[in-house]
Amino acid sequence: MNNVFLAIAIFIGLILSYSIGFSAYHHEGEKDTEKFLKVYPDKAGTKLNHCALCHCGGQYEKKTDKWVTLGSCQWCHYFYGYDRAGEIDNTMNPYGKDYKANGRNADAINAIENDDSDRDGFTNKEEIEASRFPGNTDDDPDRLAAPFHIYTRAQLEAMTQQHTQFILMNASRKDDNYVEYTGVPIETLLQNAGILDSATGITVYAPDGWANDHPMEEDEGNPEAYHVLGTYPAAVYYYDEQADIAINPVDGWCDYSAPSCQGRSHGEAITVSEGLKMILAYKRDDVYLDPGVLDDENKLVGEGPFRLVLPQKSPNSPDQISNAENQDVIWPYTEEWDHNADSSTRSVTIIKVRPLPEGTTDIDAYESGWELVDENKIIVYGAIDGNDSNGNGILDSEEGTDPASDFDGDGTPDFQDTDTARVRHSKGNDEKILFHTSKGSFVNVQALSDDDPEINQQNKPSLTFPYGVVKFKITGLTPGAGESVTVSLVFPDNVPKTASYYKITASGWKEIPFGSNNGDNTITLTLVDGDADIDIDGTNDGTIVDPGALATVIKTPSLTRTESYNSCFIATAAFGSHLEPQVKILREFRDRVLLTNFVGKVLVDLYYKCSPPVADFIARHSNLQRPMRLILSPLVCVSWVALNLGPGPTFACMILLIVIISVTSTILFIKGYSKKLMQ
């Protein structure tokens, strides 16, 4: 009944409300991002656009002589606290302390650029320009990064070799469960990344730094070593009512509630045509994995957007939890059994292919993961083909090394030509976009999703972006000359004549004209160095920074119920992205409150029937976004209270809102009536 009350109360509150201020919680580092990027705009999306620029990790002694290492995010949560009761200076690195001491603004960034905060022999400016942390002595311009590939979830889904398998996830200290995962075999992923013959194994990291090592080949002498290559033994489905937590909630230990369990019988063979494999999963029973987050106890909760799924090397039944008092059951805890779930890394962000190439540095797994979780990305790095013949930031293993591929016919193959780049777009795998510039050279070419947090979502139109966003730099132009270049773009498919092209600058998305749109797969852009509407850095410095996206048709959502519930149309249009914290709060309120009762489900269904055209209208009229944000703010506020404080405070909040609205309306009425009397 509490959830029914909340659903009705908040629905009424939305109708009555018109505007109150609401300020969502933000990390301290996020408040300073715009100040840093004002001085170094080209560092957007790099590792420096992160809390670790100014903050450090730390250690605490959990038990005698047992220390726990935390990255900057978790160290702030542990030491500074969610309640901000700790001393923030103790979470800051030398650069962060210098930045704060000089005023904590853009001028402070400039004031300390010639200092050497971490005393490693390089100025802060030198380190930042080299994308090295100026507050970390273990990261300097002399250190080279290992070869790497970044994959989006859409790219993984587009790979030709997908794999779905139903398996037992057997844990030692948690409930076991049978479930069906879908993803990409790790072997396939590594081949795509250009793994070297010298590779011996992988290390798989979670965003909190937790990691597991896995050899390439099966090691029969090490039963706990889950191998990358090949298949695993076939398994059997074990069922008993005593183990079923739905039937035996007191002593049960296995969850059989997954849809993929339906229709199966005890003793039935689990068959997968291609065999059971180590996979990087992104779906669980055909639903995307919930992204991992840190709870109030600083522990990782959730398993997505990617999870390493390991079949059992020695298949067995689900056994009782190791610390359960009642072990007098059909399958008591057996230490020697295969507890594969314990090694199936949740919220995978980084896969290191061992050994690292000589002379390269490692990634700090404690600092690099959380943004990847938010962005649905994963990094594969290490012993992979690191050749980048034309220096554009795309490895030859991705661009292709066909010597006959020569777009401009100058005799230099495209993968060696600095004026050409071929990048795998963010929504595909083998499909690539080719770029060619009439002047200068391409560097730092990146493929991003159009809803990537790195991308400014302001004024984004409600259109379809089939290839996501591509970001690149063109260097080698004459500083101060305001040179223009012609960039040819060749897409995997023909470009509709009704298509448009958007540049993404500091002020948001803006449509720009383009040529050669005759229905084939090639268009051309004219870019001008220093033109603030085209060049994102707005500086006539001989470098053009260009994020842009091809847009095709207007979005006309025709989604299944499950697909629709992954969206929040009006809120997304109002706040600019489904990743905004306000939208996340509303989505969580929908899932945890509204969808748990009949009234809430009716309201949600009504919303999804009516909201798409409203959202489309808001997205097309950017001047409506701010008023709509104000209208939605009370709902966001009450939703947050409902999620975090429960029905009582929510009811009080609703009463307060109604009182505020009533008083404000009365005042406005009296003023209006008085004005009428005076006329």
Side-chain angles (χ1 to χ4, degrees):
M1 288 300 294
N2 285 340
N3 283 347
V4 175
F5 163 75
L6 288 177
I8 297 173
I10 294 180
F11 180 69
I12 295 173
L14 175 60
I15 296 175
L16 293 175
S17 63
Y18 57 97
S19 81
I20 62 170
F22 176 77
S23 177
Y25 169 77
H26 287 280
H27 290 84
E28 290 296 316
E30 292 174 356
K31 293 181 179 179
D32 296 297
T33 294
E34 62 182 23
K35 302 167 188 175
F36 174 69
L37 295 181
K38 184 177 181 180
V39 181
Y40 297 101
D42 62 329
K43 296 306 173 184
T46 69
K47 72 176 187 179
L48 300 184
N49 190 6
H50 188 276
C51 299
L53 175 67
C54 292
H55 292 267
C56 61
Q59 290 184 322
Y60 70 91
E61 192 173 19
K62 187 174 183 179
K63 297 180 180 178
T64 303
D65 294 330
K66 184 176 181 180
W67 292 82
V68 176
T69 301
L70 301 177
S72 59
C73 292
Q74 286 181 292
W75 183 244
C76 274
H77 291 166
Y78 172 79
F79 195 92
Y80 184 45
Y82 289 94
D83 58 359
R84 306 184 184 189
E87 178 53 59
I88 189 66
D89 284 1
N90 290 333
T91 73
M92 298 171 69
N93 62 38
Y95 181 80
K97 292 178 180 179
D98 288 348
Y99 165 68
K100 181 183 177 184
N102 280 270
R104 195 180 172 185
N105 51 36
D107 290 338
I109 300 290
N110 286 315
I112 63 175
E113 66 178 12
N114 293 319
D115 296 343
D116 179 11
S117 294
D118 57 9
R119 305 294 189 268
D120 62 357
F122 295 90
T123 67
N124 295 334
K125 184 176 182 179
E126 288 173 333
E127 297 208 58
I128 291 171
E129 289 180 342
S131 293
R132 300 293 185 264
F133 285 120
N136 185 349
T137 56
D138 294 328
D139 195 34
D140 63 56
D142 282 345
R143 300 171 188 259
L144 300 176
F148 68 92
H149 278 286
I150 298 178
Y151 292 91
T152 65
R153 186 171 66 191
Q155 288 174 336
L156 296 179
E157 289 186 88
M159 289 186 177
T160 53
Q161 296 186 32
Q162 300 290 301
H163 194 76
T164 298
Q165 58 190 25
F166 177 79
I167 66 172
L168 168 66
M169 298 295 282
N170 194 352
S172 296
R173 299 178 63 86
K174 295 182 179 180
D175 290 333
D176 302 336
N177 64 290
Y178 279 98
V179 65
E180 183 178 83
Y181 284 101
T182 298
V184 177
I186 292 294
E187 182 176 358
T188 299
L189 177 61
L190 297 181
Q191 289 172 349
N192 186 278
I195 186 173
L196 300 177
D197 292 339
S198 58
T200 59
I202 63 174
T203 302
V204 182
Y205 294 92
D208 58 359
W210 191 83
N212 265 316
D213 293 332
H214 306 283
M216 299 302 296
E217 304 284 351
E218 182 176 5
D219 182 1
E220 295 183 357
N222 186 356
E224 296 183 359
Y226 297 88
H227 53 92
V228 173
L229 305 178
T231 60
Y232 285 71
V236 174
Y237 183 69
Y238 293 92
Y239 179 82
D240 190 275
E241 289 187 354
Q242 189 181 39
D244 191 341
I245 59 176
I247 296 176
N248 182 17
V250 176
D251 293 322
W253 63 90
C254 189
D255 185 350
Y256 294 95
S257 65
S260 51
C261 290
Q262 296 180 7
R264 298 182 184 271
S265 303
H266 174 69
E268 177 183 325
I270 297 175
T271 58
V272 179
S273 59
E274 298 178 357
L276 296 173
K277 299 182 178 182
M278 175 189 290
I279 69 172
L280 184 69
Y282 50 80
K283 281 186 177 180
R284 174 178 176 145
D285 279 299
D286 208 32
V287 176
Y288 288 121
L289 301 178
D290 291 332
V293 296
L294 288 177
D295 64 12
D296 290 344
E297 296 180 355
N298 228 5
K299 295 181 179 179
L300 178 64
V301 178
E303 58 179 338
F306 310 111
R307 181 173 188 176
L308 187 74
V309 174
L310 308 172
Q312 291 179 311
K313 291 182 64 178
S314 302
N316 51 251
S317 61
D319 58 347
Q320 176 66 284
I321 300 173
S322 62
N323 57 356
E325 292 184 4
N326 183 14
Q327 295 289 342
D328 185 18
V329 294
I330 184 173
W331 300 313
Y333 175 73
T334 307
E335 185 177 358
E336 295 77 18
W337 281 9
D338 191 332
H339 299 95
N340 57 320
D342 296 344
S343 299
S344 294
T345 309
R346 294 179 292 121
S347 297
V348 176
T349 56
I350 300 170
I351 297 178
K352 176 168 66 178
V353 186
R354 306 188 309 269
L356 289 181
E358 188 175 352
T360 62
T361 60
D362 211 340
I363 293 177
D364 188 344
Y366 289 100
E367 303 295 356
S368 305
W370 292 109
E371 289 187 2
L372 295 171
V373 170
D374 292 339
E375 297 168 5
N376 290 325
K377 294 177 184 176
I378 186 170
I379 291 178
V380 179
Y381 79 105
I384 61 177
D385 183 358
N387 291 325
D388 179 10
S389 300
N390 52 12
N392 60 15
I394 312 170
L395 299 183
D396 292 351
S397 58
E398 179 175 331
E399 282 204 85
T401 56
D402 183 0
S405 180
D406 181 10
F407 178 78
D408 56 7
D410 63 355
T412 303
D414 290 337
F415 75 96
Q416 297 175 339
D417 205 338
T418 60
D419 61 15
T420 308
R422 184 180 274 106
V423 63
R424 179 192 299 124
H425 67 80
S426 66
K427 298 186 178 181
N429 179 42
D430 296 326
E431 296 182 335
K432 298 169 186 175
I433 305 173
L434 181 142
F435 294 81
H436 178 268
T437 178
S438 60
K439 297 179 183 179
S441 302
F442 285 114
V443 297
N444 196 27
V445 181
Q446 302 175 55
L448 305 169
S449 299
D450 54 273
D451 59 357
D452 192 296
E454 176 185 337
I455 299 298
N456 186 351
Q457 300 295 317
Q458 185 177 355
N459 301 324
K460 180 181 178 182
S462 183
L463 301 173
T464 296
F465 303 94
Y467 308 109
V469 171
V470 175
K471 180 181 178 182
F472 56 82
K473 285 185 185 180
I474 298 176
T475 62
L477 306 179
T478 304
E483 287 188 89
S484 65
V485 301
T486 299
V487 177
S488 300
L489 292 81
V490 183
F491 294 93
D493 301 301
N494 289 338
V495 177
K497 292 183 179 180
T498 56
S500 52
Y501 196 87
Y502 283 81
K503 294 303 302 295
I504 307 161
T505 65
S507 59
W509 294 60
K510 181 178 181 179
E511 184 177 358
I512 65 170
F514 62 88
S516 305
N517 188 18
N518 54 9
D520 63 8
N521 66 341
T522 303
I523 66 172
T524 59
L525 302 174
T526 300
L527 308 178
V528 181
D529 183 18
D531 186 336
D533 291 332
I534 294 177
D535 183 3
I536 193 172
D537 66 8
T539 304
N540 188 353
D541 56 359
T543 299
I544 296 176
V545 182
D546 180 82
L550 180 75
T552 54
V553 298
I554 297 175
K555 290 180 180 177
T556 53
S558 178
L559 307 177
T560 66
R561 181 174 187 146
T562 300
E563 291 171 330
S564 294
Y565 285 176
N566 287 329
S567 306
C568 197
F569 299 122
I570 293 178
T572 300
F575 291 100
S577 170
H578 73 282
L579 298 172
E580 290 297 315
Q582 296 92 335
V583 182
K584 289 182 179 180
I585 290 172
L586 292 175
R587 244 188 351 255
E588 188 177 356
F589 172 75
R590 175 201 63 198
D591 296 338
R592 288 174 51 188
V593 177
L594 294 181
L595 293 179
T596 60
N597 60 82
F598 174 76
V599 174
K601 290 178 180 178
V602 171
L603 295 177
V604 171
D605 284 336
L606 178 64
Y607 170 80
Y608 280 103
K609 288 179 181 178
C610 302
S611 63
V614 178
D616 180 70
F617 186 79
I618 295 170
R620 285 181 158 274
H621 298 80
S622 57
N623 60 317
L624 294 178
Q625 289 181 315
R626 180 175 175 80
M628 185 54 65
R629 287 197 292 267
L630 293 174
I631 291 173
L632 290 175
S633 292
L635 179 60
V636 176
C637 179
V638 176
S639 298
W640 184 91
V641 173
L643 291 168
N644 292 276
L645 302 181
T650 304
F651 180 75
C653 186
M654 288 301 308
I655 295 298
L656 179 61
L657 278 174
I658 294 172
V659 170
I660 292 174
I661 293 169
S662 300
V663 172
T664 305
S665 301
T666 302
I667 293 173
L668 292 174
F669 173 78
I670 293 173
K671 286 186 176 180
Y673 186 71
S674 300
K675 184 176 181 181
K676 185 176 180 180
L677 290 176
M678 295 175 64
Q679 290 178 344

